[in-house]
Amino acid sequence: MTNSISVLERDSSDSPCYNEEMKTISSILSIQKVVTAIRDKKRRIGLVPTMGAFHEGHLSLMRKARRECDIVVVSLFVNPLQFGPTEDFKRYPCDLMADRKMAQAAGVDFLFAPTAEAIVPPDLETSVSVDKVASRWEGTIRPGHFRGVATIVAKLFQIVNPHVAYFGQKDYQQTVVIRKMVRDLHFNLKLRILPTVREKDGLAKSSRNKFLLKKERSVASILYRALQQAKQSVQEGEHDCQRLAQQVALIFSAEPSVQVDYIAFCHPTTLGLVSRVLRKTVLLLAVRIGSVRLLDNIILHRQRAL
Ligand code: PAF
């Protein structure tokens, strides 16, 4: 019997949390045995899928899972399938020791860190592709990205079989794609999408922020300012998306180092463009500053007429 399974066999009647000592598991078979044993004991499993390089955004998902579930599994896998050939797969930050410490402190029970060969063997032929919502915005700029994400997330759902899976709102389109996949493929789990965690100046926490040079970092809060401007304008009664987009574009135009990929006012689930702010509309922003792409978003609510 592996260590990981014996952990489950302690009497936990006076403590719902197993995390006295987090276990790191790399074998798919071992984690499957662990989660089967947990499910047999009618415990709720929360899964936080990640690519590592943990920051407060990841930790907020782990802590929420800790509060809501009996067992917290965090997967750590830098997924080659979701990077294009010219993208930053090779330089994607990775520090397993630091990640282990942070996950342990956040109350995680199992860190599932499989090898690339196990998850993406050379003879892999099956993929999961979500059509429409994945083809827009990031899908246009990063062809194949969401097929890579959906394929790996489907595999993690299959392997870990969680009751609840946690994602951040920061990657809004990713959450929409995963929600569609969960519905279409009848995964029997709940998705929890948690608010974006931000730096003091509003920049959304992201593993890629560390690639911003000092000067670029000081400019990067422009995304947050743009989102706040849109929110304020909507609150003041501006519902025309073209005019709102112009206001946002004007903010970016003041910073020559910022290259805008898109400013999109969208329906929250189809991600199709809308011409007027609906009861609920999502504003998606993607820009490039130096070598770094930054994404952010906000959900806007139309003000009721008095
Ligand atoms: O958001 C991420 O870190 C990744 O896209 C995910 C969901 C872990 C899939 O590789």
Side-chain angles (χ1 to χ4, degrees):
M1 179 163 297
T2 67
N3 267 348
S4 328
I5 295 177
S6 66
V7 158
L8 295 171
E9 303 199 328
R10 285 198 307 253
D11 181 5
S12 64
S13 48
D14 54 358
S15 157
C17 166
Y18 292 106
N19 167 269
E20 276 149 38
E21 196 197 326
M22 185 184 75
K23 297 278 181 279
T24 303
I25 298 180
S26 61
S27 141
I28 294 177
L29 201 64
S30 300
I31 191 79
Q32 281 175 322
K33 282 185 184 160
V34 166
V35 294
T36 304
I38 294 167
R39 278 201 166 243
D40 286 350
K41 289 183 178 253
K42 305 274 179 278
R43 305 256 189 247
R44 277 174 78 73
I45 302 170
L47 170 67
V48 183
T50 79
M51 297 207 299
F54 296 155
H55 51 66
E56 272 303 315
H58 298 109
L59 299 181
S60 75
L61 304 179
M62 296 177 202
R63 292 191 194 111
K64 189 69 157 183
R66 175 71 286 152
R67 288 196 293 277
E68 294 183 346
C69 301
D70 301 312
I71 295 290
V72 180
V73 179
V74 169
S75 64
L76 192 169
F77 181 64
V78 184
N79 170 23
L81 299 180
Q82 68 189 72
F83 291 81
T86 60
E87 290 180 2
D88 56 354
F89 175 62
K90 288 227 167 78
R91 76 162 184 174
Y92 198 82
C94 165
D95 185 346
L96 184 60
M97 290 295 276
D99 284 350
R100 274 188 54 82
K101 272 198 198 139
M102 283 193 262
Q104 160 91 35
V108 171
D109 298 297
F110 296 98
L111 188 66
F112 173 47
T115 62
E117 299 72 50
I119 296 282
V120 192
D123 64 346
L124 180 71
E125 288 190 40
T126 306
S127 63
V128 177
S129 127
V130 178
D131 289 343
K132 266 195 252 160
V133 288
S135 68
R136 305 177 195 276
W137 314 120
E138 284 307 284
T140 309
I141 291 172
R142 305 180 68 189
H145 168 69
F146 286 122
R147 185 175 331 118
V149 170
T151 302
I152 247 54
V153 172
K155 277 173 170 267
L156 291 170
F157 288 172
Q158 278 295 120
I159 296 166
V160 177
N161 194 11
H163 296 83
V164 193
Y166 294 81
F167 296 89
Q169 189 194 311
K170 149 85 174 43
D171 294 307
Y172 187 88
Q173 188 173 7
Q174 169 170 285
T175 68
V176 173
V177 169
I178 292 170
R179 193 176 289 290
K180 193 76 183 80
M181 177 191 83
V182 163
R183 288 229 178 106
D184 288 352
L185 297 184
H186 312 283
F187 280 107
N188 187 14
L189 53 86
K190 243 176 80 172
L191 289 180
R192 296 277 275 130
I193 312 301
L194 300 188
T196 302
V197 178
R198 298 181 178 282
E199 303 284 356
K200 274 205 187 79
D201 66 354
L203 176 66
K205 299 252 184 189
S206 161
S207 310
R208 289 185 171 102
N209 290 351
K210 57 180 69 150
F211 295 131
L212 290 165
L213 305 177
K214 206 162 166 212
K215 209 161 154 232
E216 296 167 348
R217 172 62 191 85
S218 66
V219 169
S221 62
I222 199 165
L223 275 102
Y224 183 65
R225 278 186 277 127
L227 295 175
Q228 291 307 306
Q229 169 66 60
K231 181 178 170 186
Q232 189 186 331
S233 296
V234 171
Q235 278 169 352
E236 288 167 3
E238 179 61 88
H239 293 152
D240 182 280
C241 293
Q242 205 176 347
R243 280 199 294 269
L244 287 164
Q246 277 162 3
Q247 291 178 2
V248 171
L250 195 64
I251 293 180
F252 288 135
S253 68
E255 263 309 334
S257 62
V258 176
Q259 289 186 300
V260 176
D261 279 343
Y262 53 81
I263 298 168
F265 288 82
C266 305
H267 184 282
T269 54
T270 67
L271 300 187
L273 277 178
V274 295
S275 55
R276 293 193 64 75
V277 174
L278 312 167
R279 200 167 56 83
K280 199 175 158 196
T281 292
V282 62
L283 166 56
L284 301 178
L285 298 181
V287 306
R288 273 168 292 144
I289 304 181
S291 67
V292 185
R293 279 191 85 236
L294 297 173
L295 306 188
D296 210 335
N297 66 82
I298 190 170
I299 297 180
L300 302 166
H301 299 273
R302 189 173 51 209
Q303 303 300 298
R304 285 212 196 95
L306 295 172

